């Protein structure tokens, strides 16, 4: 038996080890962020297990339906929200939580409060659950601005103030992608160990991609620059090859592919939805943060996405994110439109 090789195989960079390593770069750190993150990771493992068992456990279905035992069943997105709220509150490190599922922000009771604000979508892409398409959890973390008393303004900060952002994708494997502001790392859940292992260190998005990702069914309502860009993807005039279209309709899956393969993901404004569809705090900001950290860009059609200042917790914004050069092209089309 080759013990040396075995030892090497067990020298795994788990997510906890990775975050503890990062923590040593901040001597003033007392480990609060590490504790918060371990609670988020636990929530993701729980949701991953629930998603995997969904068909069997009959977790899928309308909230309020009853199962054979006469117990009330919960929809997966409702269950996931409860999982994350509980995990975040019990970490003792949070003060305000904003969830896609809850109309109002949750202010953590004083005895359990910490200094972090977490914005999250517990199960994004949930309309895809019934057909087994990849779905995910998206989150962003802010530090409370000042003082001890948390206020709504603490979560109405521009995305560039986020300390960390990430997502967990529940797909053919369970993948956790995280940035704490020093690049992007990807971890894959080893189900036999119950641990996320570093499998994609220092992810960098290709500078230019061959894929565009958009719901083309909305094309008749698009503005000029979006329509021109998609036309260029299909019928390039500079002699380059046409881009491929890939659209899952589940943001985590579409953004994950964009991050790894390059290209652009867009959910633009249109005549029916002048602010687009995606939510600023827990969709646009975390994904824009990751894109920039991976060397890409994120643009709203008017400005850098991370410069936006949300007015309300569920605000929406158009978004174009992905490879640096591809987003640069989109920016040029919007700039040309402005000059008309
Ligand atoms: P659901 O959570 O309702 O499935 O919406 C998913 C989502 O918010 C995001 O994950 C997708 O990128 C986007 O909506 C897809 O929207 P369209 O169905 O309008 O293309």
């Amino acid at each position: 038996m080759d013990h040396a090789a075995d030892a090497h195989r067990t020298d795994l960079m788990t997510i906890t080890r990775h975050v503890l390593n990062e923590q040593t770069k901040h001597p003033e750190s007392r480990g609060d962020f590490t504790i918060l993150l371990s609670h988020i990771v636990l929530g993701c493992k729980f949701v991953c297990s629930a998603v995997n068992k969904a068909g069997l456990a009959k977790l899928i279905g309308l909230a309020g339906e009853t199962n054979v035992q006469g117990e009330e069943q919960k929809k997966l997105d409702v269950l996931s929200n409860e999982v994350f709220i509980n995990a975040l509150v019990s970490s003792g490190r949070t003060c305000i939580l904003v969830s896609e599922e809850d109309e109002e922000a949750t202010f953590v009771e004083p005895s359990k409060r910490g200094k972090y604000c977490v914005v999250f979508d517990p199960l994004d892409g949930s309309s895809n659950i019934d057909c087994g398409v990849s779905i995910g959890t998206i989150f962003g973390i802010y530090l409370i601005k000042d003082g001890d008393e948390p206020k709504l303004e603490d979560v109405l900060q521009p995305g560039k103030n986020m300390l960390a952002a990430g997502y967990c994708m529940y797909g053919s494997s369970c993948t956790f992608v995280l940035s704490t502001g020093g690049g992007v790392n990807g971890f894959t859940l080893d189900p036999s160990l119950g641990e996320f292992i570093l499998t994609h260190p220092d992810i960098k998005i290709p500078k230019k991609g061959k894929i565009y990702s958009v719901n083309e069914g909305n094309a008749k309502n698009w503005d000029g620059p979006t329509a021109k860009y998609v036309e260029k993807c299909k019928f390039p005039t500079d002699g380059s090859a046409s881009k491929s279209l890939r659209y899952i309709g589940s943001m985590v899956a579409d953004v994950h592919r964009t991050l790894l393969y390059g290209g652009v993901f867009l959910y633009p404004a249109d005549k029916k939805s002048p602010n687009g569809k995606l939510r600023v705090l827990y969709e646009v900001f975390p994904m824009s943060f990751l894109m920039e950290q991976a060397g890409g860009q994120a643009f709203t059609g008017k400005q850098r996405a991370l410069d936006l200042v949300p007015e309300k917790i569920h605000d929406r914004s158009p978004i174009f994110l992905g490879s640096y050069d591809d987003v640069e092209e989109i920016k040029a089309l919007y700039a040309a439109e402005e000059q008309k």
Side-chain angles (χ1 to χ4, degrees), residues 20 56 59 63 74 143 176 181 249 258 266 272 293 298 339-340:
L20 284 169
L56 290 169
L59 279 165
K74 286 189 179 121
L143 198 57
F176 192 93
T258 306
L266 42 151
K272 274 194 346 212
Q293 286 293 322
Q339 262 152 33
K340 275 188 189 166

Side-chain angles (χ1 to χ4, degrees), residues 124-128 215 247 249-251 265 267 277-278 283:
D124 188 71
S126 48
S127 65
N128 293 295
N215 183 343
Y247 189 69
S250 177
M251 191 187 194
F265 167 84
Y267 209 110
K277 174 182 182 189
L278 300 179
E283 292 183 309

Side-chain angles (χ1 to χ4, degrees), residues 54-294:
L56 290 169
K58 297 250 179 247
L59 279 165
I60 293 172
L62 296 173
E65 278 184 354
T66 50
N67 65 16
V68 282
Q69 279 90 33
E71 295 159 340
E72 192 171 288
Q73 292 177 36
K74 286 189 179 121
K75 256 167 87 175
L76 267 177
D77 44 7
V78 177
L79 175 73
S80 306
N81 191 38
E82 284 177 16
V83 166
F84 280 102
I85 297 274
N86 286 335
L88 292 166
V89 171
S90 67
S91 75
R93 302 300 185 278
T94 58
C95 51
I96 312 180
L97 310 176
V98 172
S99 165
E100 193 264 349
E101 287 287 321
D102 298 323
E103 211 166 303
E104 307 288 339
T106 301
F107 287 79
V108 178
E109 63 174 90
S111 67
K112 294 184 177 151
R113 261 180 208 162
K115 59 185 175 186
Y116 295 108
C117 315
V118 183
V119 293
F120 63 102
D121 187 343
L123 204 54
D124 188 71
S126 48
S127 65
N128 293 295
I129 292 174
D130 291 1
C131 61
V133 162
S134 298
I135 47 184
T137 299
I138 313 174
F139 64 90
I141 302 174
Y142 290 109
L143 198 57
I144 186 172
K145 272 183 174 164
D146 59 85
D148 301 322
E149 207 46 45
K151 295 172 279 318
L152 205 55
E153 295 87 78
D154 291 312
V155 283
L156 297 176
Q157 304 188 51
K160 64 183 173 201
N161 290 2
M162 277 185 173
L163 291 185
Y167 60 78
C168 186
M169 186 175 73
Y170 314 109
S172 52
S173 56
C174 180
T175 312
F176 192 93
V177 173
L178 173 71
S179 175
T180 53
V184 181
N185 289 288
F187 304 81
T188 305
L189 183 66
D190 180 333
S192 62
L193 297 173
E195 287 277 9
F196 281 101
I197 310 295
L198 181 64
T199 46
H200 297 72
D202 197 18
I203 298 172
K204 291 284 174 240
I205 184 169
K207 193 153 179 289
K208 192 168 173 61
K210 298 184 180 128
I211 298 172
Y212 72 104
S213 185
V214 64
N215 183 343
E216 282 216 58
N218 296 329
K220 76 171 165 39
N221 290 319
W222 285 345
D223 63 16
T226 302
K228 268 191 206 136
Y229 180 71
V230 172
E231 186 72 3
K232 270 180 80 179
C233 290
K234 295 196 266 195
F235 304 102
T237 47
D238 59 359
S240 61
S242 319
K243 289 192 193 301
S244 293
L245 167 65
R246 298 282 183 272
Y247 189 69
I248 299 167
S250 177
M251 191 187 194
V252 174
D254 280 316
V255 169
H256 188 63
R257 184 202 52 246
T258 306
L259 197 59
L260 296 187
Y261 296 173
V264 67
F265 167 84
L266 42 151
Y267 209 110
D270 64 42
K271 280 183 214 135
K272 274 194 346 212
S273 326
N275 291 322
K277 174 182 182 189
L278 300 179
R279 309 291 183 151
V280 172
L281 272 183
Y282 40 80
E283 292 183 309
V284 169
F285 278 172
M287 295 312 201
S288 301
F289 187 92
L290 291 165
M291 278 298 156
E292 286 199 3
Q293 286 293 322

